[in-house]
Amino acid sequence: MTIHSGGQNICGVSIGVLSLESYFPKPPGHIKNPSSLPFTTTYEILHGLTVQKLLADPSPELLQPIISAAKRLEDQGVHAITGSCGFLAIFQKEIAEAVSIPVFVSSLIQVPLAYHMTKAPVGVITASASSLTDKHLEGVGASGVPIVVQGLDEAPEFSSVILRGERTQMDLGKVTGELLAAAESMVERSPEIGAIVLECTDLPPYAHQLQAKVNRPVFDIITLASMVHATSHRMAFPGFI
């Protein structure tokens, strides 16, 4: 007989997501669309913390509510914690120190991995190149890794909906085209790029089209969360001897 300690209201949740408040569409492949994810999720909404606020003013005052939300996720019994915006990287160390379960709030944690795998500069596609700072890279241990940054600051559909929050309606086809154009421009500018990391959690839904366009490995928050889920929930292998 196996006896479990209990104490959880809901069981079987793998990944807890620290979620910025946003209301634009989240297509399949988005960390905030659990219908398409290969692991179970639960969410703590960071009320009042929007993309615009996090990018414009990632001040220490934001940290305590985020840490409180991370602790609530831990209390719920999740096995690891991620985030719904890669710019949470600036708080990665503090959040990880505040709880006793794995924390990976930004896909940028994969930048050193991508570099060591390819020994070539890593292309980082970010929502906003002007907002991505050395502090974000330091937060995830990516300082000193050669990178080429491509932002979507000037992409009309993406920037108006996601960066400026002008409306919640979004043309997914236009966003796809803007991402592919940005990636193609980046690779043409720096053909030595060996792999691509998508900082922005809004981009994984289009990662397969991106890879088909530029023929590079593509890392994002879903590839990272899937790996963390697999390491946290090792299963017996199928097959036979």
Side-chain angles (χ1 to χ4, degrees), residues 88-179:
L88 287 169
I90 201 165
F91 300 129
Q92 164 68 31
K93 293 179 182 178
E94 291 85 353
I95 301 169
E97 289 171 353
V99 297
S100 58
I101 56 177
V103 171
F104 58 107
V105 292
S106 176
S107 63
L108 293 173
I109 291 177
Q110 297 168 109
V111 168
L113 173 64
Y115 172 66
H116 289 301
M117 287 174 62
T118 63
K119 287 301 179 184
V122 178
V124 175
I125 300 181
T126 176
S128 174
S130 61
S131 301
L132 185 63
T133 69
D134 290 341
K135 289 185 177 180
H136 293 93
L137 298 172
E138 290 169 7
V140 293
S143 295
V145 176
I147 63 173
V148 177
V149 177
Q150 175 68 51
L152 294 172
D153 310 68
E154 304 302 323
E157 185 72 5
F158 182 92
S159 61
S160 64
V161 176
I162 295 175
L163 292 181
R164 297 193 297 274
E166 296 173 350
R167 51 189 161 84
T168 58
Q169 183 185 40
M170 186 166 69
D171 187 324
L172 303 184
K174 287 183 179 179
V175 171
T176 304
E178 291 169 354
L179 171 62

Side-chain angles (χ1 to χ4, degrees), residues 33 126 210:
N33 183 339
T126 176
L210 169 62

